Amino acid sequence: MARGEINQHGVDLGMIASNTRGLTDADVDGLIEIREDNREQIANAIKSAIAKGLETIGLVAEGYAKADVPVDTGRLRNSITHTTDGKDAYVGTNVEYAPYVEFDEKLSHPNGGKAHFLRDAAAGHASEYAQIMRDALGG
């Protein structure tokens, strides 16, 4: 093939034929051969990143719930917490009257709090939580 001969795809065939070569001993001198299975370390790193992301999501959702809950004595707001299980983040409270506040849209909330403070904290910020998880996974 002559240098400068162009095929139908615009590739200079002479350049390809004359300038390609295989690896030589000099090319591989600086390379390191890796012969270990890192799958377990990779899986553990992914699990750790997911756990970190879930913990951050739980903290952020807890903050949203506390910001939106109606406050009279502060007991309900102070009881709101979060937990994770490796797959999910949960936000909630163990105060017995919380369901009445969560679902009663007719309550007057002098502090500007609102019904559905837990639902809104969980579902109302889904795109933010997705970004938190992407960041935790390095993406």
Side-chain angles (χ1 to χ4, degrees), residues 74-117:
R75 179 175 178 228
L76 179 56
R77 180 182 55 208
N78 292 337
S79 73
I80 296 171
T81 189
H82 75 279
T83 188
T84 64
D85 68 0
K87 299 184 304 179
D88 296 298
Y90 302 94
V91 177
T93 174
N94 62 355
V95 171
E96 65 279 355
Y97 59 85
Y100 299 103
V101 178
E102 172 72 12
F103 297 110
D104 188 351
E105 296 182 28
K106 296 177 185 165
L107 285 175
S108 63
H109 306 304
N111 72 327
K114 58 186 179 181
H116 308 301
F117 60 96

Side-chain angles (χ1 to χ4, degrees), residues 1-73:
M1 264 173 229
R3 181 171 262 221
E5 183 180 341
I6 308 294
N7 72 4
Q8 73 234 24
H9 303 290
V11 175
D12 185 338
L13 298 176
M15 290 295 290
I16 291 174
S18 65
N19 289 332
T20 60
R21 62 183 176 89
L23 292 174
T24 65
D25 287 340
D27 293 329
V28 295
D29 283 344
L31 298 178
I32 299 171
E33 184 175 348
I34 299 176
R35 290 184 180 237
E36 58 185 278
D37 184 352
N38 293 317
R39 287 180 289 186
E40 186 176 340
Q41 291 90 335
I42 292 167
N44 289 338
I46 291 169
K47 285 179 186 176
S48 177
I50 290 171
K52 179 183 174 188
L54 287 172
E55 180 62 25
T56 302
I57 290 167
L59 282 169
V60 171
E62 180 182 324
Y64 283 126
K66 287 181 174 183
D68 286 347
V69 68
V71 177
D72 185 16
T73 66

